[in-house]
Amino acid sequence: MNPDSSVLNGTVDIVNEGHLNGTAGDSSGTEEGKSFNMMPEVEMCQSVLPCHANHKGRLSAGQLLKWIDIIACLAAEKHAGLPCVTASIDDIQFEETVRVGQIINIKAKVNRAFNTSMEVGIRVVVQDVLTGVLKRVCVAYSTFVAKPVGTQKIRLKPVDCLTTAEDHLEYALASERRRLRLYNEDAFTKLMQDSHLLKANGKESSQISTERTRVQSIELVLPPHANHHGNTFGGQIMAWMENAATVAASRLYGTYPTLKSVDMFKFRGPSSVGDRLVFKAIVNNTFQKSLEVGVRVEAYDCEEWTQGKARHINSAFLIYNASSDKAHTQTFPSVKYTSKDGQRRYLAAIVRKRIRLARKHILSSKEEGPLSVPWDKSNQVYLSYNNVAALTVLAGKHGWEVNSSQPKIRVYMNEELDTLSVQVEMHVRVSSLQAFFLLSDLSLRPSWDRHYSSCEEVQVVNEDDKLYHITCPAVNKDKPRDFVVLMSRRQPCKEGDSYIVALRSVTVASVPPDPDYTRSEVLCAGFLISDASSATCKVSYYNQVTSGVLPYIAGNLAGWSKSMEETASSCIEFLENVTDQKICAF
Ligand SMILES: CCCCCC(=O)SCCNC(=O)CCNC(=O)[C@H](O)C(C)(C)COP(=O)(O)OP(=O)(O)OC[C@H]1O[C@@H](n2cnc3c(N)ncnc32)[C@H](O)[C@@H]1OP(=O)(O)O
């Protein structure tokens, strides 16, 4: 008999006949000779009917969330062999809308068990019956906890059927997602401490108060709303939350925006049949192409209802884009807050947007193709031009949003489709020319940038183009990294233009990959330097984030480090205090 669960404190082992192991009473079907119960995955197919649709004839997000919660729970209970409850659902990004008549296919399986909780990975795909075309609607990650027996918590057995490379990848990423999930509150608290520095970019002039979007709605939990444990079904709660949030979003400017993503549902406590659930929703803030609605759920039993004693059981933040048919043109109006609590919600939305961005890019396991290009005489002129042009285009992008702000230093982020770029703006008390010469000599960079362990000149192509080999320290117990880059610098052609120092990876035979380093790549990075006055200048550092660069800024993105600001301070100090002989070197 294989015990597959034990009570956390070890006093009592709750031992279940591991029906997962195909023992007696196994009701398995068989598939390719495997016991059905051994397949860790659970699958659901649904034909989308009008009763599942919203006012636009599209599958409602609330209905999809119900199906997701059900299948995730069934996957969790298949692993645990015990009743399970939803603790949270991470960010869900809806990538496709689903029409009535199409087929929804949902697969769920436990990626990893921790102690008393486990992560369930869910993939939702839509199939068009007529064309057979399959498209991904969303992926989601739920955390489920085995329902405590009385007050005793249940320790889960580990996931042991990792067969494919994807299983192993999800197993590894699950611990990173858990770290970010559980760190979420700390990161939020830490970033909120600096939120007073986040200038409301032009929002003071806004005439639209968030108060006009406030919504309150009540539901009575009836038996059809209960799950198989007798508690209120989590998916139903999420559907009601989505309903209240959509009404709030539609009140902003008289149209129904499209739900784009959900930012972490957290089920703080159970509710039961007979409870009154009060849903409070309001637009917290708007960004150029999206807005955030916050929804809070309070539960009351009959006695609490008469006493006005609420139990806060859930909160979530839903992100809406302009209606899908106008998404490419429509931007949301800016909003203003009219109370202290409104200001807190307004700033918190900016902080959550930053954390979502970080989670999305830190956890995206997308593999890039090679970014470097071979460096040889035939393409030198083109590559040098392309290097400078790419940085100029990056600096000229719209949509740079303030991420953090200090005196003399401001950090911006820009997300376009799946590409994340960072910008660090520094105000320095030196001339643009002096900053240009010092920053374009990469061999000086290890003296102020702790992310550079060493930087050696590999080839001097001409006065304005050089190749360097850079080594960087190890991060997160990984191997140290190295880069081979082309530095191309340009002085202004006319008054008012910026000085440019552009960097991109190249491959050269004289610097082959070194087994002691992870050869990494820079796609587009560098400095734009412009006059602020006769004796001061503005230095803007840009980097289009690649998987090789991400480890060095992930902490900054997620809010648990200020490495970019610290490096910027060090750069400013270097430029303002460099000794004359280094300048004379030019
Ligand atoms: C039909 C389909 C049914 C679908 C299912 C439902 O409808 S269920 C109905 C909706 N859901 C609910 O009603 C659940 C309401 N919430 C609760 O009962 C409780 O908050 C809880 C049992 C989830 C957690 O209880 P506690 O907070 O006391 O437990 P504790 O703090 O020890 O956490 C237990 C484990 O859960 C993890 N955990 C807790 N909160 C978490 C969160 N927001 N996100 C991720 N993981 C979380 C902890 O890390 C720990 O994992 P480790 O021990 O591994 O470190």
Side-chain angles (χ1 to χ4, degrees), residues 219-223 232 271-277 300-302 305:
E219 298 285 353
L220 174 62
V221 180
L222 299 171
T232 312
S271 63
S272 314
V273 172
D275 277 354
R276 290 87 172 142
L277 300 188
Y300 303 79
D301 62 21
C302 202
W305 184 242

Side-chain angles (χ1 to χ4, degrees), residues 8 66 69-74 77 84-90 113-118 142-148 153-156 178 181-182 185 226-229 231-237 264-271 313-314:
L8 196 53
K66 283 183 185 178
D69 202 27
I70 289 171
I71 192 166
C73 182
L74 297 177
E77 294 186 345
C84 296
V85 295
T86 319
S88 70
I89 294 191
D90 289 0
F114 303 106
N115 303 310
T116 64
S117 70
M118 65 191 116
S142 291
T143 298
F144 274 78
V145 175
K147 203 170 162 74
K153 299 188 177 181
I154 310 288
R155 183 184 295 283
L156 298 168
R178 168 178 158 89
R181 195 176 291 138
L182 297 178
E185 309 251 342
N227 61 30
H228 51 321
H229 312 313
N231 291 117
T232 312
F233 166 34
Q236 179 61 65
I237 295 173
M264 195 168 276
F265 280 104
K266 179 168 180 174
F267 291 90
R268 299 169 182 276
S271 63
I313 62 165
N314 204 324

Side-chain angles (χ1 to χ4, degrees), residues 391-411:
L391 181 61
T392 309
V393 168
L394 178 60
K397 274 186 176 185
H398 297 294
W400 287 101
E401 295 194 359
V402 176
N403 191 277
S404 74
S405 177
Q406 295 177 0
K408 298 178 75 171
I409 297 169
R410 187 171 272 196
V411 178

Side-chain angles (χ1 to χ4, degrees), residues 182-193 355 558-559:
L182 297 178
Y183 183 79
N184 192 56
E185 309 251 342
D186 295 0
F188 176 77
T189 307
K190 209 167 178 182
L191 291 172
M192 277 302 283
Q193 287 159 4
I355 293 176

Side-chain angles (χ1 to χ4, degrees), residues 1 204 355 576:
M1 179 158 33
E204 290 79 8
I355 293 176
E576 291 179 346

Side-chain angles (χ1 to χ4, degrees), residues 332-396:
F332 287 110
S334 56
V335 293
K336 68 179 180 181
Y337 44 81
T338 53
S339 66
K340 201 89 181 109
D341 194 42
Q343 181 190 31
R344 178 190 58 77
R345 289 197 306 270
Y346 176 97
L347 292 173
I350 298 172
V351 166
R352 272 188 295 273
K353 186 169 190 294
R354 171 175 175 183
I355 293 176
R356 266 196 304 279
L357 202 63
R359 266 209 299 262
K360 178 180 172 188
H361 289 277
I362 292 172
L363 293 171
S364 72
S365 54
K366 69 177 170 37
E367 283 307 311
E368 297 146 345
L371 304 172
S372 307
V373 288
W375 173 262
D376 63 41
K377 291 220 178 303
S378 64
N379 64 11
Q380 288 183 7
V381 174
Y382 164 73
L383 260 183
S384 174
Y385 164 78
N386 173 274
N387 196 8
V388 172
L391 181 61
T392 309
V393 168
L394 178 60

